[in-house]
Amino acid sequence: MSPASAAVRPAPQEVWDTLSQAERDAAYNNNAAVKDSAAWVEARDKAAPLFRAATPAHLDIPYGSGARQKLDIYPGKPGAPCLVFIHGGYWQRNTREVFAHYAEGLLAHGWSVAMPSYTLAPEARLGAIVAEMGAALDLIAKDGALYGLTGPVVVSGWSAGAQLAVMQLDHPAVAAGLAISGVYELAPLRDTFLNAALDLSDAEIAACSPLRHAPSPKPLAIAYGTAEVPALVHDSRALAAKRVAAHAPGALLPILGADHFSILDELRRPDGLLVRAALDLMAGAHA
C-alpha cells in the first residue's frame, strides 16, 4: 500500500468490528506484510554475531536471576549518552544478540549502547516483561559506571521493544526516548494470532498500553516507516498526537519508504535518520 492510499483508507483499529479474523491477523503480521522479510531476518542474523564478536563490549551482564535477564554493553566515549535498545518480536521471540549490529550507528558518534534481553511470553506475562526492563535500567543506573556508562540514557526500542521503551520513559535513569515502529494500544492484539502466547487480560491492556497513560514530560521521538502496516502507522501517529495535546516534547518521524525491517538500517548507519533522531534528542535536552 502506498503512503497516499494508506492516508485515505481507515486504519484497521478504526473499523475493527467489521474485520474478519484473517484481516485482524494480517493487520499486525509484519513478516507477511514485508515480502522480503525472511531475507532481512537472515541478513540480520548473520551480521549480528560477527559484530558482537568483533566489537569491544561487556557481554551477558545479569540484571536479574532469569536466564534471559541479561544485557550487553558496548561502551563509547566517557560521559557520552547511552542508547538502551530493546528488541522486538511481539514479546514472544528474538533476543538481544541478533540486534547487536544496530549499535554501529551511534557507536560511530561516540555513544554507548546497551541491549537487554527479557523473558518471553508465554513464560512471562506482559507486565512482568515491562518490569524486567525497569530492572535492566536499575542496573545501568546503579552499576553503569563500572562499564563506562556515565552519560545520559536514551531508552529506545523497535516494535514490541518500542512499547517497552515508552513504558520506561519515566524511569529515573532515563533522559529521553526513541520509539521505533511500536504498538501503543494493546486491545486489538487480543483478537489476533498474537494472543495465543500473550493471553492479554483487561488489566494488562490497561496497564501496558502507552496510549492509555498520561504522556511523560520527557522528550520522546516517535518513528515509523511509511511502508509499515497501517495499524502501526496509526499507533505512532496517535501517540504523537496525544503527546502534542499534552505539550510533551518530541518529534514524529515518518521514515519515507521504510518498512518494519528496513527502518532499522537508519539506526545502523552513522548518517541514518534514527541516529540523527537520537543525537537531536540529546541536543535538545542540553539546549
Side-chain angles (χ1 to χ4, degrees):
M1 183 184 298
S2 70
S5 61
V8 172
R9 294 183 60 181
Q13 297 96 319
E14 296 171 342
V15 292
W16 196 251
D17 290 344
T18 73
L19 301 183
S20 67
Q21 186 61 58
E23 290 170 326
R24 290 178 174 184
D25 288 342
Y28 289 92
N29 193 332
N30 295 299
N31 291 77
V34 178
K35 64 179 180 180
D36 56 349
S37 61
W40 275 105
V41 171
E42 181 181 8
R44 178 197 74 192
D45 291 354
K46 289 180 178 178
L50 297 176
F51 172 85
R52 195 169 184 262
T55 305
H58 306 285
L59 302 178
D60 306 317
I61 302 166
Y63 65 83
S65 59
R68 292 176 56 92
Q69 293 175 353
K70 295 181 173 66
L71 57 85
D72 297 336
I73 294 175
Y74 302 91
K77 295 179 180 178
C82 175
L83 185 85
V84 178
F85 179 83
I86 306 171
H87 72 79
Y90 278 132
W91 309 275
Q92 55 196 279
R93 59 180 179 270
N94 291 331
T95 186
R96 69 190 187 282
E97 289 93 340
V98 298
F99 292 86
H101 55 305
Y102 293 116
E104 286 181 313
L106 281 164
L107 287 175
H109 290 273
W111 282 44
S112 298
V113 177
M115 293 192 174
S117 289
Y118 47 87
T119 309
L120 301 177
E123 182 179 349
R125 305 289 305 186
L126 185 53
I129 295 171
V130 171
E132 287 186 13
M133 292 301 88
L137 289 165
D138 290 344
L139 184 281
I140 289 171
K142 176 177 176 288
D143 295 335
L146 300 176
Y147 305 104
L149 306 184
T150 57
V153 169
V154 176
V155 66
S156 181
W158 166 79
S159 198
Q163 177 266 346
L164 294 170
V166 176
M167 292 295 296
Q168 294 299 337
L169 194 55
D170 280 326
H171 189 284
V174 170
L178 172 60
I180 307 163
S181 306
V183 179
Y184 307 119
E185 169 54 62
L186 303 180
L189 300 186
R190 188 160 52 184
D191 300 327
T192 73
F193 69 102
L194 297 167
N195 203 47
L198 296 173
D199 188 29
L200 292 167
S201 68
D202 288 344
E204 286 171 320
I205 289 169
C208 299
S209 292
L211 276 167
R212 301 196 185 196
H213 297 180
S216 170
K218 296 179 183 178
L220 174 67
I222 302 167
Y224 67 92
T226 61
E228 303 252 18
V229 293
L232 299 193
V233 174
H234 173 275
D235 270 18
S236 293
R237 291 174 175 170
L239 184 60
K242 186 178 182 74
R243 289 182 57 80
V244 167
H247 305 290
L252 178 65
L253 303 169
I255 308 297
L256 186 63
D259 62 41
H260 197 64
F261 297 91
S262 65
I263 193 170
L264 284 179
D265 269 3
E266 301 295 332
L267 194 62
R268 186 179 184 186
R269 295 186 292 106
D271 63 346
L273 295 175
L274 294 177
V275 169
R276 173 49 54 190
L279 297 175
D280 287 348
L281 281 167
M282 285 295 91
H286 296 296

